[in-house]
């Protein structure tokens, strides 16, 4: 009876804002134990499958990148968040990746790899953990770092480093840190690939490149597999968006020889085996509303003729799916079904051309999910 009682309370509390939950831990020892438990964290994540905001990297100030928190619910912007100060790192701190409520961060300034620190940070609880170094080894190059965290499966995470192999700088090797064991594991040499931009989703790390190659890595079994790109891909395609959000992986690409006004949004199947078209987009009405999206010094056949960046794709089956776009000076949400837009934030009031406005790249956007996960 007591377990059922706690289950009912946990499921009710999981619908409350995270900041309220942090305060409710002080109500009693029982509530503190329940709200701090891994079971409650899983309940919370089931209720928070969609981002409530996006961290946007705006510019650099000395060593410290400047961030803006963009709310997706029309609430006031959290002006208090400007930079990452959860730890005193003389090189500054920057965000590398967002993964289901946790942020993978590292020392910002270009320092020798042996002096670079990597962190896992929970912006909701303001808790962090420093990833320990893998012990004595010959310094080598890091080609990519990915955080793998799925709170619906486990309260633990892994961090996957792709490094040059100790035997040769032209060969690669994986080094995987587990928060459960606090230990490192090392793979044999892996195939050459561009591992600089990857995304974790449902147990797999995915990499894809503009050259048309696509690869996935099963984090649990530590196995690689090639994945076919969508049928519409060709040698002229350019990737505009490749990210995970809320347990779904999306891909957007446009063809430089055709208009960038129309494109498809692809979604990876649940078993991570293939891509399928999820949404079809036509930006004609949006461009008519915001004519500054057309670059005067470009031609219709240019890849960047229309000035926009896709910052996020939020897929809600019954609540209205949308994507977040950055156009000259503004952030807007675009509803896939109704093809309508809503202004989220005006970064530069009065700006009418992108050359005079702040430009935010897709790689500089990191979705925020409220989480009480322990790092």
């Amino acid at each position: 009876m007591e377990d059922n009682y706690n289950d009912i309370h946990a499921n009710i509390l999981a619908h409350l804002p995270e900041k309220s939950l942090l305060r409710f831990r002080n109500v009693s020892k029982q509530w503190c134990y329940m709200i701090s438990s891994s079971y409650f964290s899983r309940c919370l994540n089931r209720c928070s499958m969609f981002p409530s905001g996006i961290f946007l990297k705006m510019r650099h100030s000395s060593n410290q990148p400047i961030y803006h928190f963009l709310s997706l619910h029309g609430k006031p912007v959290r002006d208090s968040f400007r930079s990452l100060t959860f730890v005193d790192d003389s090189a500054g701190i920057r965000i590398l990746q967002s993964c289901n409520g946790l942020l993978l961060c590292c020392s910002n300034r270009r320092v020798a790899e042996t002096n670079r620190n990597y962190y896992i940070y929970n912006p909701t609880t303001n808790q962090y953990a420093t990833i320990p170094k893998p012990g004595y080894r010959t310094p080598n190059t890091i080609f990519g770092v990915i955080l793998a965290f799925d709170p619906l499966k486990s309260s633990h995470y892994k961090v996957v480093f792709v490094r040059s192999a100790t035997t040769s700088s032209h060969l690669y090797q994986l080094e995987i840190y587990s928060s459960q064991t606090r230990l490192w594991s090392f793979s044999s040499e892996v195939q050459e690939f561009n591992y600089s931009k990857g995304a974790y989703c449902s147990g797999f790390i995915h990499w894809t490149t503009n050259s048309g190659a696509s690869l996935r890595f099963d984090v649990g079994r530590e196995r690689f597999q090639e994945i076919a790109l969508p049928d519409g891909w060709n040698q002229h395609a350019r990737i505009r968006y490749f990210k995970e959000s809320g347990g779904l992986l999306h891909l957007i690409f446009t063809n430089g020889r055709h208009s960038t006004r129309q494109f498809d949004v692809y979604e990876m199947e649940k078993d991570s085996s293939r891509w399928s078209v999820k949404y079809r987009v036509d930006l004609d009405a949006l461009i008519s509303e915001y004519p500054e999206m057309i670059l005067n010094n470009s031609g219709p056949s240019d890849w960047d003729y229309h000035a926009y960046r896709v910052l996020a794709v939020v897929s809600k089956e019954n609540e209205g799916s949308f994507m977040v776009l950055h156009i000259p000076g503004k952030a807007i949400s675009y509803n896939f079904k109704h093809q309508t837009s809503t202004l989220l934030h005006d970064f530069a009031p009065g700006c009418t051309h992108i050359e005079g406005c702040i430009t935010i790249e897709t790689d500089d956007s990191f979705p925020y999910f409220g989480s009480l996960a322990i790092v």
Side-chain angles (χ1 to χ4, degrees):
M1 183 69 180
E2 183 178 353
D3 289 340
N4 292 333
Y5 174 82
N6 289 334
D7 286 348
I8 293 173
H9 273 71
N11 282 284
I12 293 174
L13 290 173
H15 289 82
L16 297 178
E18 293 81 12
K19 295 299 183 183
S20 298
L21 294 173
L22 293 176
R23 293 196 299 270
F24 289 166
R25 290 189 300 186
N26 298 321
V27 171
S28 67
K29 290 183 178 180
Q30 183 183 16
W31 277 37
C32 180
Y33 175 80
M34 177 175 62
I35 294 174
S36 302
S37 69
S38 58
Y39 170 76
F40 182 79
S41 182
R42 289 193 294 271
C43 291
L44 181 63
N45 280 97
R46 281 194 291 268
C47 298
S48 306
M49 292 297 293
F50 311 109
S52 59
I54 306 175
F55 295 114
L56 301 175
K57 188 173 74 172
M58 307 298 291
R59 63 185 185 276
H60 284 74
S61 176
S62 62
N63 293 335
Q64 203 70 271
I66 300 300
Y67 291 91
H68 174 91
F69 183 81
L70 175 69
S71 172
L72 299 183
H73 299 321
K75 297 179 181 179
V77 174
R78 258 174 36 187
D79 290 327
S80 59
F81 184 88
R82 299 288 291 171
S83 59
L84 295 168
T85 57
F86 59 86
V87 64
D88 184 15
D89 190 318
S90 60
I93 309 170
R94 62 187 171 99
I95 303 173
L96 295 177
Q97 177 200 356
S98 169
C99 187
N100 295 314
L102 300 183
L103 299 179
L104 170 64
C105 306
C106 76
S107 303
N108 176 59
R109 195 174 56 203
R110 298 184 67 89
V111 295
E113 189 55 46
T114 53
N115 297 325
R116 188 184 303 277
N117 294 314
Y118 289 87
Y119 310 97
I120 303 299
Y121 175 56
N122 186 331
T124 302
T125 63
N126 201 38
Q127 295 178 334
Y128 77 95
T130 303
I131 304 300
K133 300 185 185 302
Y136 175 79
R137 67 190 325 280
T138 304
N140 51 13
T141 303
I142 290 182
F143 294 99
V145 186
I146 293 290
L147 169 63
F149 175 57
D150 188 343
L152 297 181
K153 295 181 179 179
S154 172
S155 59
H156 301 285
Y157 57 83
K158 292 184 178 181
V159 185
V160 179
F161 287 74
V162 183
R163 296 177 179 263
S164 56
T166 56
T167 56
S168 171
S169 60
H170 300 290
L171 298 175
Y172 299 155
Q173 184 180 27
L174 298 186
E175 296 181 349
I176 304 174
Y177 173 76
S178 168
S179 67
Q180 182 174 17
T181 63
R182 305 290 178 178
L183 298 175
W184 289 86
S185 62
F186 306 91
S187 75
S188 57
E189 294 170 352
V190 300
Q191 68 185 82
E192 185 175 357
F193 197 81
N194 183 355
Y195 295 100
S196 60
K197 296 179 181 179
Y200 173 77
C201 183
S202 301
F204 296 90
I205 297 175
H206 298 259
W207 293 276
T208 189
T209 67
N210 281 316
S211 63
S214 185
L215 194 65
R216 77 175 187 182
F217 176 69
D218 187 324
V219 178
R221 298 181 178 180
E222 299 189 7
R223 297 178 181 175
F224 280 92
Q225 182 181 0
E226 293 185 3
I227 299 294
L229 286 169
D231 294 336
W233 184 276
N234 60 45
Q235 61 180 343
H236 304 293
R238 294 288 300 273
I239 297 174
R240 281 188 173 269
Y241 182 86
F242 177 65
K243 287 193 176 186
E244 180 272 348
S245 179
L248 298 171
L249 183 65
H250 294 103
L251 170 68
I252 298 174
F253 62 86
T254 54
N255 191 320
R257 291 190 173 183
H258 301 283
S259 173
T260 54
R261 294 171 180 257
Q262 294 87 26
F263 55 84
D264 294 329
V265 179
Y266 293 86
E267 187 173 284
M268 178 63 71
E269 297 286 351
K270 291 293 185 180
D271 61 358
S272 298
S273 62
R274 60 186 294 272
W275 295 97
S276 60
V277 176
K278 185 67 176 180
Y279 311 105
R280 297 191 182 276
V281 177
D282 188 330
L283 297 180
D284 280 345
L286 183 66
I287 294 172
S288 297
E289 184 178 358
Y290 298 100
E292 61 267 29
M293 290 176 64
I294 300 178
L295 293 178
N296 296 327
N297 59 350
S298 301
S301 62
D302 291 343
W303 177 80
D304 236 4
Y305 179 59
H306 298 108
Y308 66 87
R309 299 290 185 269
V310 182
L311 301 181
V313 173
V314 180
S315 186
K316 297 183 177 182
E317 294 297 337
N318 301 317
E319 302 180 50
S321 300
F322 63 94
M323 64 179 174
V324 180
L325 298 177
H326 177 248
I327 63 174
K330 300 177 178 65
I332 62 172
S333 65
Y334 175 89
N335 185 284
F336 290 119
K337 180 179 180 180
H338 302 293
Q339 298 185 8
T340 56
S341 64
T342 301
L343 178 65
L344 296 175
H345 189 73
D346 192 341
F347 295 102
C351 179
T352 58
H353 58 96
I354 197 167
E355 289 83 356
C357 299
I358 297 171
T359 301
I360 302 172
E361 297 296 336
T362 300
D363 292 341
D364 293 334
S365 64
F366 309 92
Y368 168 73
F369 296 83
S371 171
L372 300 183
I374 299 173
V375 297

